Amino acid sequence: MDVTKPTFDFAEVSRQIDKASGKGVPPVDKWHPDFCGDIDMRILRDGQWLYNGSPIGRPAMVKLFSTVLWKEDEAYYLKTPVEKIGIQVDDVPFHFIHVETVAHELGEALCFISLTGDRVIASADNPIRVETDPITGEPSPYLYVRFGMEGLITRSVFYTLVEKAHEEQRDGVTQVVINSAGETYVLGNVE
């Protein structure tokens, strides 16, 4: 039995995306290709992309791949109109490295910028959540991006949020909270 690894035609991916969507994120949710197998592609927790164990050195290629990411049943894929290929993701696929305050119809908002150039406003559709490691107490802040996927907010960006935050009392607990686009997000409790 001849079993070969799936190949991923990078040029074809680019052509299909251009054809299907023009600019921005293509309609990945409307594509239903067959699963073609897994490739040796991995996104590390720090946001670095690897192919066959080596860093992908072309930011434009990483940005292109990020637009066709898909999450299904806790697994991650690169998905085009004609193929769906499994990849590994250590934590979450996006990595937010900058935040800025912007005007929004619901008031001041926080716009997060990822390594791949995604701009996501924290809002009811894109909430912030913070997980705290039960052993170390280390916070891991995340922002919802799209299609069931989240991005990790870097430590320096999280510190920026904490500096902009204020304290509120909730159920007898003092919490550090921040507002964005009419929503309030808890960053942590005051000990």
Side-chain angles (χ1 to χ4, degrees), residues 76-113:
Y76 291 91
Y77 304 91
L78 296 178
K79 189 164 96 165
T80 73
V82 296
E83 60 189 339
K84 180 170 84 171
I85 297 177
I87 66 168
Q88 296 298 310
V89 177
D90 287 357
D91 185 15
V92 291
F94 297 95
H95 197 75
F96 289 99
I97 57 170
H98 183 71
V99 64
E100 55 191 37
T101 303
V102 297
H104 188 274
E105 63 189 22
L106 297 173
E108 199 171 81
L110 300 168
C111 181
F112 293 83
I113 302 165

Side-chain angles (χ1 to χ4, degrees), residues 45 129-133 136-142 152-155 158-159 162 187-188:
R45 189 171 198 276
R129 71 177 180 89
V130 180
E131 280 189 18
T132 303
D133 185 289
T136 65
E138 180 87 18
S140 291
Y142 298 94
L152 180 66
I153 298 170
T154 62
R155 185 180 311 248
F158 186 65
Y159 289 155
V162 170
L187 301 181

Side-chain angles (χ1 to χ4, degrees), residues 21-89:
S21 67
K23 295 188 176 188
V25 176
V28 179
D29 56 327
K30 303 212 182 336
W31 298 339
H32 304 288
D34 291 332
F35 177 64
C36 300
D38 297 316
I39 59 171
D40 187 9
M41 186 174 288
R42 180 176 171 198
I43 305 173
L44 303 178
R45 189 171 198 276
D46 68 1
Q48 185 176 37
W49 289 59
L50 306 177
Y51 181 66
N52 288 331
S54 297
I56 298 175
R58 293 182 55 205
M61 188 65 72
V62 170
K63 182 178 175 82
L64 173 69
F65 289 146
S66 75
T67 66
V68 294
L69 276 171
W70 179 255
K71 183 179 179 187
E72 188 175 307
D73 299 326
E74 301 308 311
Y76 291 91
Y77 304 91
L78 296 178
K79 189 164 96 165
T80 73
V82 296
E83 60 189 339
K84 180 170 84 171
I85 297 177
I87 66 168
Q88 296 298 310
V89 177

